Amino acid sequence: MAAEPPESANRLIREDLVSSNPIHVAVIGYGGAFNMGLNHFNWMKKAGLVPTAACDLDADRVAQAAADFPGLKTFTDYKEMLKDPDVDLVVNILPHYLHGQVNLDIVSAGKHCVSEKPFTLSVAEADACIAAAEKHNVTLTVFHNRRFDGDHRAMMEVIANGEIGEPFHIEAGLGGYHHPGHWWRSNKDVSGGALWDWGVHFIDWVLDLIPDPVENVTAFYHKRVWDDVSNEDQTQAIIRFSSGKYADVRISSLDAAPRAKFRILGTKGAIVMENPWSQAFTVRKVENGVTWEREFNVADKHYPDSGEAFYADLAAHLRDGAPLTVTAQDGRRNIAVLEAAERSAVSHQAEPPA
């Protein structure tokens, strides 16, 4: 059966949350791109966590952090920041290839750690981080905040309610015909490749929708047009589960005819999300030979912001021992699928995840 939406996904965000035992938080990486350091601090504040320190190699960025949060401690060396006894939890917002080692340093310093996605760029790195977190008795999680996106939560609820029966086939992904970009996210050595960015969100969604063990992954990578960057032009990973269910995930810069963001087939119906940015989808159900449809507008459900929901979930875990929605093992499972896809693209064979 498909997993039900976690109870923790329904926790309310309390902006006035006060704790007699405050959790002091820090970020590594306060770069200006997407203002992710600022965003993480704002999400954490709304969960009752206390912004305490920020680190960035760029002195102008740490000055901006101090201006955004008066009284914030600032550093240009994250290892010095990890020595600060006032810091309880650290968020790693660095480029993908730095996630593994920096996550390991954070938990080895006895700090709770939130890694931006992807968790690491190898299963070996993920395993090392998990082992160190267990050794030092700290929480390690991955910022798969899109597990809390309204459209994903709504689809999980539709499936949990049995509206489309047992899901067995998923098609998912993003595509368009466009240059993949010039930033580090288009550099395979730094980003991991085209499937490791938005693709890891889709893989996390798929593995949440179908929690069955993964048997193998078959991948097809193309490098045909955009030679000025090292990421692939198109990636496709077909995930076969031990139950016989499967998912087809694609991320493409060569898709002149993009398909739906999600197409989920079940034994009694289907879910189709055509527009990747609308958060609306159609539920089709077949009963007694009659097909009916209903449009599901996620905006009507008023789900909280996914970043706020992620940190509310984490705060409840750290304060009260509530179950953690996104565990380090969840992050590792995604990396195992991605790593198997990399091997399959080279071997032209179905590859089992590590």
Side-chain angles (χ1 to χ4, degrees):
M1 296 292 292
E4 294 189 5
E7 180 182 352
S8 53
N10 297 315
R11 292 184 185 129
L12 296 176
I13 309 295
R14 290 181 49 196
E15 296 187 18
D16 61 341
L17 187 63
V18 177
S19 172
S20 60
N21 183 22
I23 299 169
H24 294 90
V25 295
V27 299
I28 300 175
Y30 204 82
F34 304 120
N35 279 321
M36 289 306 295
L38 175 65
N39 289 336
H40 276 273
F41 270 150
N42 285 334
W43 290 323
M44 288 188 280
K45 279 183 66 178
K46 289 185 176 182
L49 308 179
V50 183
T52 300
C55 178
D56 198 285
L57 290 174
D58 187 338
D60 289 340
R61 293 308 304 165
V62 294
Q64 183 62 54
D68 291 337
F69 298 92
L72 196 74
K73 300 179 185 181
T74 59
F75 299 82
T76 54
D77 182 341
Y78 79 86
K79 291 186 178 180
E80 289 300 313
M81 188 178 74
L82 294 180
K83 297 176 184 177
D84 189 337
D86 291 336
V87 173
D88 302 309
L89 181 148
V90 180
V91 185
N92 178 0
I93 317 176
L94 296 176
H96 300 173
Y97 79 110
L98 295 172
H99 287 183
Q101 183 59 56
V102 176
N103 292 341
L104 182 61
D105 291 340
I106 293 169
V107 296
S108 296
K111 311 295 186 184
H112 304 301
C113 176
V114 175
S115 173
E116 259 289 358
K117 59 81 195 167
F119 182 17
T120 60
L121 290 187
S122 72
V123 169
E125 287 182 322
D127 286 341
C129 293
I130 292 169
E134 291 174 350
K135 176 181 177 181
H136 293 278
N137 194 30
V138 293
T139 294
L140 173 61
T141 184
V142 184
F143 191 64
H144 280 297
N145 63 309
R146 294 192 176 277
R147 188 87 67 86
F148 295 87
D149 277 0
D151 53 351
H152 178 68
R153 289 177 56 183
M155 283 191 271
M156 291 283 285
E157 290 168 7
V158 166
I159 291 170
N161 291 338
E163 291 189 51
I164 67 165
E166 186 76 4
F168 64 89
H169 168 107
I170 297 177
E171 299 167 31
L174 286 176
Y177 197 97
H178 52 74
H179 190 281
H182 297 278
W183 199 29
W184 65 261
R185 294 167 76 177
S186 294
N187 182 330
K188 187 171 177 65
D189 290 339
V190 177
S191 69
L195 198 59
W196 294 74
D197 196 0
W198 261 101
V200 74
H201 286 308
F202 280 95
I203 288 170
D204 187 63
W205 281 325
V206 163
L207 297 184
D208 200 31
L209 289 161
I210 301 180
D212 308 355
V214 174
E215 183 173 312
N216 57 51
V217 181
T218 303
F220 305 87
Y221 287 8
H222 292 273
K223 185 67 178 168
R224 297 181 178 273
V225 175
W226 312 114
D227 293 329
D228 57 328
V229 294
S230 54
N231 270 10
E232 303 84 3
D233 296 342
Q234 176 169 301
T235 55
Q236 179 180 14
I238 299 174
I239 305 167
R240 181 186 294 275
F241 296 90
S242 60
S243 59
K245 303 173 186 178
Y246 63 97
D248 179 351
V249 177
R250 295 186 205 177
I251 300 294
S252 179
S253 295
L254 287 182
D255 190 350
R259 63 182 186 178
K261 178 183 178 181
F262 267 99
R263 181 171 176 263
I264 305 172
L265 303 183
T267 54
K268 297 180 180 179
I271 293 172
V272 179
M273 174 179 277
E274 295 285 355
N275 188 329
W277 313 116
S278 71
Q279 288 206 323
F281 58 87
T282 301
V283 178
R284 295 191 177 105
K285 187 172 180 179
V286 181
E287 291 182 304
N288 300 320
V290 178
T291 301
W292 59 265
E293 294 185 356
R294 72 181 176 102
E295 298 299 318
F296 200 109
N297 191 337
V298 176
D300 295 338
K301 298 282 286 186
H302 303 294
Y303 291 108
D305 178 272
S306 62
E308 296 175 18
F310 175 91
Y311 279 113
D313 182 82
L314 177 58
H317 172 74
L318 294 175
R319 287 197 177 96
D320 308 319
L324 191 63
T325 297
V326 183
T327 67
Q329 288 293 344
D330 291 335
R332 182 200 186 280
R333 190 174 185 227
N334 293 329
I335 301 309
V337 168
L338 286 162
E339 192 176 72
E342 295 289 323
R343 294 197 307 272
S344 174
V346 174
S347 71
H348 297 188
Q349 302 291 327
E351 296 284 350

